[in-house]
Each structure stands twice: as structure tokens, then as C-alpha cells.
Amino acid sequence: MSDEDSKSWVGDLAHETFGAVLSFYDKNPTIASIGFLLLLGSLPLYLLLKFAANMRRLDNEAVISKLKLQYEFADSSKKTMDVAADKVEAPNTTTTTTGG
């Protein structure tokens, strides 16, 4: 498909769409204007929703990576605490010498 064919295809589609809207506009201007605005607004709306979905995906990936880092940090600090607990010596007696 050459550049010339794609331009004529898009031009034909735009011409037919505009012609259909104008012919319907004579019969019912309110519905035709709403339809025309919806037709013109669908592409920007699609792009906006696609952008929002991409941002949501990126945000979810960032949250998951931060959660993994937090779990890794918790695991490493738990191992450090276990090692420190092993080094602590038990007391010789459990009774006190003062008091009664």
C-alpha cells in the first residue's frame, strides 16, 4: 500500500463521514451535533485512557518493586537479629541476691 493509496483512503473516509453527518444534521441537529462531537472526541479519549492505563501499570510495578525491597530488608534484618541473639549468653542464675 503506497502513501498515495492511504491518503485517498483516509480522505474518502473523512469525506463520507462528514457527508453522513451533514445529511443527518438537516433531520435532527441536536443528535447529529452530539454524534459528531463523540466521533471527534473518541480518538483523544482513547489516547488519554491508554496513557492512564500505562501510568497505572508503571505505578503498580513501582509499588511491587518497593514491596520486594522492603521484604528483602526485613529478611536481612531478621537474620542479623538471629545472629545477634545467638551471641547473647544466658545468665548464670535466675534468682536475685537482694530482697527477700
Side-chain angles (χ1 to χ4, degrees):
M1 187 177 222
S2 69
D3 241 3
E4 203 170 286
D5 292 337
S6 64
K7 285 181 183 177
S8 65
W9 178 80
V10 173
D12 289 342
L13 179 65
H15 179 72
E16 292 299 323
T17 303
F18 192 68
V21 168
L22 283 179
S23 67
F24 190 70
Y25 191 79
D26 291 336
K27 297 176 184 174
N28 194 344
T30 305
I31 301 295
S33 59
I34 291 172
F36 189 66
L37 289 175
L38 287 174
L39 184 67
L40 288 180
S42 62
L43 181 63
L45 181 63
Y46 170 74
L47 294 174
L48 182 67
L49 291 176
K50 188 174 179 179
F51 175 76
N54 191 25
M55 291 303 294
R56 182 177 178 187
R57 182 185 56 82
L58 291 174
D59 187 47
N60 287 343
E61 288 175 1
V63 168
I64 289 170
S65 66
K66 286 181 182 179
L67 189 61
K68 284 181 182 178
L69 285 174
Q70 187 175 3
Y71 279 138
E72 290 172 3
F73 178 73
D75 287 343
S76 66
S77 63
K78 183 178 178 184
K79 288 177 185 176
T80 305
M81 291 173 66
D82 289 342
V83 170
D86 290 341
K87 292 181 181 179
V88 173
E89 295 180 11
N92 291 336
T93 62
T94 56
T95 60
T96 60
T97 56
T98 60

